Amino acid sequence: MQEIDPIILEKVNTWLEGNYDEQVKQDIRKLLDDKAYTELTDSFYRDLEFGTGGLRGIMGPGSNRINKYTIGSATQGLANYLKKTYPNEQVKVAIAHDSRNNSDLFARITAEVFSANGIYVYFFEALRPTPELSFAIRTLGCKSGVMLTASHNPKEYNGYKAYGEDGGQFVSPADKAVMDEVAAIKSIDEVKFERVESNIELISTAIDEQYLKKIVTLSVSPEAIKRQKDLKIVFSPIHGTGITLVPKALELFGFENVVLVEEQSTPDGNFPTVVYPNPEEKEALTLALKKAQEVDADLVLATDPDADRVGIAVKNTDNEFILLNGNQTGSMLINYLLTAWQESGKLTGNEYIVKTIVTSNLIEAIAREKGVTYYNTLTGFKYIGELMTKFEGQQTFIGGGEESYGYLVGEFVRDKDAVVSAAFIAEMTAYYKDKGSSLFEALLDTYIKYGFYKEKLISITKKGKTGAEEIKALMEKFRDNPPETLGGSKVITLKDYELRVETDLTTNTTTPIELPKSDVLQFITEDGSIISARPSGTEPKIKFYCSVNGKLESKEAFKQTDEKLEAKIDAIMNDLGV
């Protein structure tokens, strides 16, 4: 018979005897009575880690779960950090939440703890997208902000994203300082939960209007939109916050034919019509694609629960709707922006774009040809935000993005933004339609000009304590014994972002990597394939990013070339043995 680890039991008893509410204690006792030791172990084997992006986890009782007490401790730690960092100032913060179950409750607890610590809170009175929180922090002169969301995770999850005064998520050294303050909270008795009403101010629609007004000023092809105002767009917020701003943004840009997926337009934390509320998953767009076929749409847009990611579908040359992946959409968006800026004479040589190290190198090829500076950052949009803050007032940020369906246009926000991205994807579609082309045909033209870059993300889920150990062992194996060949091509470069060293395996020489430390390994082959291995920072997964490329001779050769590159990815994954 399975027994519970004595160390786990000790932590369980701390909660049963401590200053926790009776409902939480009842839930824990039930797990004990049911001998649900695996669940108890996963709930208590560690303290839910406040990482560089904040918290994310399954909701429930326990130190490794999202609940009133882990949210409260995180907020107390952040409050302590803010008071030490800005000792002689009235510190202000902004708080928003998405449509997830308990997000509103956790937002309220966060506001109460801040208010009890003498911090002034701007509190969104109803659910709002993550990028609007970033905008609010910047607009209202806040020192920090918190978004209650678990992005596109399943319904059991919730989370807590913490932001700095530039509207971006905390980066080094502030992230470590915040993490230290959160870790220093050793008892729930240290958390001040008593709400101070005078320190909380509700935010209504005024910020919505300011934000929407700003993003409309970014439009580069208003004339094309005027001519294509009847472009048929199907939009689904997948039961999330996108419903609050995306339809308004599309309308303000000038689009008059937007069809909502009604079954998914009501915010609902149970996400009843999907398995995962993730626009990266085809299943999540089933209803949107059905609606698109009914109305013969030009474009399908779908946003995740906190509206920082957007997925799209377009018609291919066979008139079938296909989903573009994050690399394809990001590449097309950057290509459109640089082309439109070039055509309107806006490029001065002082502009730049940014992508992450696991995002398609097609973006680099486009930027090089247009003569626009490009930067690579580590995975995580906070690093793009950090660069934007660094270059603010010196260089002009046009746009940027990452393969995980997150993009940004303009400098008003410091996080990925599905609201502005949806508007610009619609503008881009109108621009190409105005030229007698579709978005898919424009993608093929891009491949013919710059090379056919094909990327695929393979995620392997390893849950709980044993899963975390398996992921660690897998990374150690690749680090100590990198593969010699992948997909029939010799591995010539190993980039270890944890050790911050790039090794030329043909000469065995090393050069430093000028980026912060991160647990990522990249294998680069002789034929230009790039394979990245990275444990997820927010989910119990290890992710493999495969990028291969070849020449596309003509639009007619697309399917054949696509199959060839797909087979190459399969061969690479087979060689990795995962």
Side-chain angles (χ1 to χ4, degrees), residues 381-544:
F381 218 90
K382 64 180 184 174
Y383 295 112
I384 295 177
E386 180 184 25
L387 262 188
M388 291 173 68
T389 296
K390 180 182 172 185
F391 295 141
E392 192 167 13
Q394 300 163 40
Q395 298 179 48
T396 303
F397 172 80
I398 294 178
E402 53 187 4
E403 50 67 48
S404 56
Y405 292 60
Y407 324 104
L408 179 61
V409 181
E411 299 184 315
F412 305 125
V413 166
R414 290 288 184 277
D415 208 343
K416 47 190 178 283
D417 184 342
V419 181
V420 73
S421 299
F424 268 88
I425 290 163
E427 176 172 300
M428 166 171 70
T429 307
Y431 169 88
Y432 287 118
K433 189 170 184 183
D434 202 45
K435 291 183 180 296
S437 176
S438 70
L439 197 54
F440 184 75
E441 286 173 312
L443 175 65
L444 298 189
D445 287 336
T446 306
Y447 285 155
I448 289 167
K449 183 171 182 178
Y450 298 104
F452 189 164
Y453 287 76
K454 185 175 177 70
E455 287 82 21
K456 192 171 186 180
L457 171 62
I458 294 98
S459 287
I460 297 167
T461 302
K462 304 269 188 185
K463 289 189 176 177
K465 183 170 181 283
T466 53
E469 288 162 358
E470 285 173 41
I471 288 171
K472 193 175 176 216
L474 206 49
M475 287 300 285
E476 282 172 6
K477 183 188 92 170
F478 287 131
R479 195 164 264 124
D480 297 340
N481 299 293
E484 290 181 14
T485 62
L486 288 170
S489 184
K490 190 179 174 186
V491 177
I492 57 168
T493 306
L494 170 65
K495 291 187 178 185
D496 190 330
Y497 291 87
E498 180 78 12
L499 302 177
R500 299 172 74 201
V501 169
E502 177 179 328
T503 306
D504 182 329
L505 298 174
T506 57
T507 60
N508 209 27
T509 53
T510 61
T511 50
I513 292 173
E514 301 295 335
L515 286 171
K517 199 163 84 162
S518 182
D519 193 9
V520 181
L521 288 172
Q522 273 187 336
F523 311 112
I524 302 169
T525 65
E526 212 159 25
D527 64 2
S529 299
I530 303 173
I531 301 88
S532 309
R534 172 183 167 262
S536 170
T538 54
E539 300 167 279
K541 290 178 178 178
I542 181 167
K543 297 182 175 183
F544 295 91

Side-chain angles (χ1 to χ4, degrees), residues 353-361 363-364 375-377 384 400-401:
I353 56 115
V354 194
K355 73 173 194 66
T356 68
I357 57 172
V358 296
T359 303
S360 181
N361 279 358
I363 292 173
E364 286 186 14
Y375 296 97
N376 275 311
T377 69
I384 295 177

Side-chain angles (χ1 to χ4, degrees), residues 37-46 64-65 464-465:
Y37 295 148
T38 302
E39 191 173 337
L40 273 169
T41 299
D42 282 347
S43 299
F44 283 96
Y45 84 91
R46 63 172 190 166
N64 190 37
R65 293 287 185 254
K465 183 170 181 283

Side-chain angles (χ1 to χ4, degrees), residues 335-387:
N335 188 41
Y336 161 67
L337 286 166
L338 298 191
T339 302
W341 274 58
Q342 196 173 47
E343 286 177 356
S344 55
K346 290 177 72 177
L347 289 182
T348 65
N350 200 39
E351 294 77 22
Y352 70 100
I353 56 115
V354 194
K355 73 173 194 66
T356 68
I357 57 172
V358 296
T359 303
S360 181
N361 279 358
L362 175 56
I363 292 173
E364 286 186 14
I366 293 164
R368 270 198 308 270
E369 194 270 339
K370 302 281 188 195
V372 173
T373 304
Y374 63 87
Y375 296 97
N376 275 311
T377 69
L378 291 176
T379 310
F381 218 90
K382 64 180 184 174
Y383 295 112
I384 295 177
E386 180 184 25
L387 262 188

Side-chain angles (χ1 to χ4, degrees), residues 3-4 10 72 107 175 200 253 321 340 385 486 554 569 572:
E3 291 296 330
I4 189 164
E10 191 182 329
D175 57 356
I200 300 174
F253 263 63
F321 280 99
L486 288 170
S554 65
I569 289 172
I572 287 169

Side-chain angles (χ1 to χ4, degrees), residues 226-373:
K226 273 183 194 167
R227 291 188 289 270
Q228 303 297 334
K229 64 184 180 182
D230 290 328
L231 188 83
K232 286 182 195 164
I233 302 166
V234 167
F235 170 62
S236 170
I238 316 182
H239 305 291
T241 62
I243 193 66
T244 61
L245 291 184
V246 174
K248 287 179 190 170
L250 291 168
E251 182 189 340
L252 288 169
F253 263 63
F255 294 102
E256 297 178 0
N257 198 357
V258 179
V259 180
L260 295 179
V261 179
E262 293 295 345
E263 304 94 316
Q264 296 179 327
S265 291
T266 303
D268 188 335
N270 291 314
F271 311 115
T273 64
V274 296
V275 179
Y276 298 110
N278 185 355
E280 297 179 52
E281 305 279 347
K282 188 173 184 180
E283 179 272 332
L285 274 75
T286 303
L287 290 173
L289 289 167
K290 182 169 173 274
K291 179 65 75 178
Q293 282 157 351
E294 281 172 22
V295 303
D296 190 30
D298 294 289
L299 175 66
V300 177
L301 296 165
T303 53
D304 68 343
D306 67 322
D308 62 354
R309 297 169 198 251
V310 58
I312 78 170
V314 296
K315 275 191 238 171
N316 66 10
T317 45
D318 296 326
N319 220 31
E320 304 161 329
F321 280 99
I322 59 152
L323 270 61
L324 296 193
N325 64 38
N327 284 297
Q328 290 171 316
T329 303
S331 298
M332 288 306 294
L333 196 51
I334 293 297
N335 188 41
Y336 161 67
L337 286 166
L338 298 191
T339 302
W341 274 58
Q342 196 173 47
E343 286 177 356
S344 55
K346 290 177 72 177
L347 289 182
T348 65
N350 200 39
E351 294 77 22
Y352 70 100
I353 56 115
V354 194
K355 73 173 194 66
T356 68
I357 57 172
V358 296
T359 303
S360 181
N361 279 358
L362 175 56
I363 292 173
E364 286 186 14
I366 293 164
R368 270 198 308 270
E369 194 270 339
K370 302 281 188 195
V372 173
T373 304

Side-chain angles (χ1 to χ4, degrees), residues 47-50 70 72-81 84 175-191:
D47 290 342
L48 186 65
E49 187 183 355
F50 191 96
T70 52
S73 296
T75 307
Q76 185 63 53
L78 179 52
N80 291 349
Y81 163 80
K84 284 179 186 176
D175 57 356
K176 179 74 168 59
V178 174
M179 286 157 65
D180 288 346
E181 289 292 347
V182 174
I185 306 292
K186 297 300 180 193
S187 163
I188 200 65
D189 298 328
E190 296 173 51
V191 181

